[in-house]
Amino acid sequence: MEFNFQFFMNDIVQQARKEIVEAGYEELRTPQEVDEAFSRKGTTLVMVNSVCGCAGGIARPAAAHAVHYDKRPDHLVTVFAGQDKEATARAREYFVGYPPSSPSFALLKDGKICTMIERHEIEGHEPIAVVQKLQAAFEQHCDEV
């Protein structure tokens, strides 16, 4: 039996996309979609998705659970590093002062970066710790809903 790596990876990518969309995040797959989403008024949480283990085991579960909070972003969006490369590159142009990192979270207000939770703050941590970091950012930058 021959192992088809590309078929295997396509399945992983589709599952990763499905998980974050089902959590309420809008997929941004082109630079134009990124610009449109980031031009919206209010706060926007950007989840930079990836296929690594810490994305599936920590970041995506944290992304899903963190938004169940009194203060939360107005908009939830995601770009997929390594998959939607142009959209991810455009999103990263907005993350001034932060190096590329995936998975990661960026919190924007009116299209400007407020804060970022980078891979080193996700990898090796429990999902609840990432939820708490996200909710601390929401507490500081978001309005109550």
Side-chain angles (χ1 to χ4, degrees), residues 28-76:
L28 307 176
R29 298 185 78 170
T30 68
Q32 295 79 18
E33 290 174 348
V34 169
D35 289 338
E36 288 171 17
F38 290 9
S39 69
R40 297 176 191 150
K41 292 293 181 196
T43 51
T44 301
L45 180 64
V46 184
M47 195 274 182
V48 180
N49 204 354
S50 77
V51 295
C52 76
C54 64
I58 303 167
R60 286 192 300 275
H65 292 287
V67 295
H68 299 286
Y69 191 67
D70 291 340
K71 291 185 176 182
R72 58 181 173 258
D74 300 307
H75 313 284
L76 304 173

Side-chain angles (χ1 to χ4, degrees), residues 110-131:
D110 298 331
K112 305 287 185 214
I113 188 79
C114 295
T115 191
M116 194 142 185
I117 298 171
E118 300 173 84
R119 180 186 176 108
H120 69 88
E121 298 173 275
I122 298 169
E123 188 175 30
H125 294 81
E126 293 296 320
I128 191 65
V130 179
V131 167

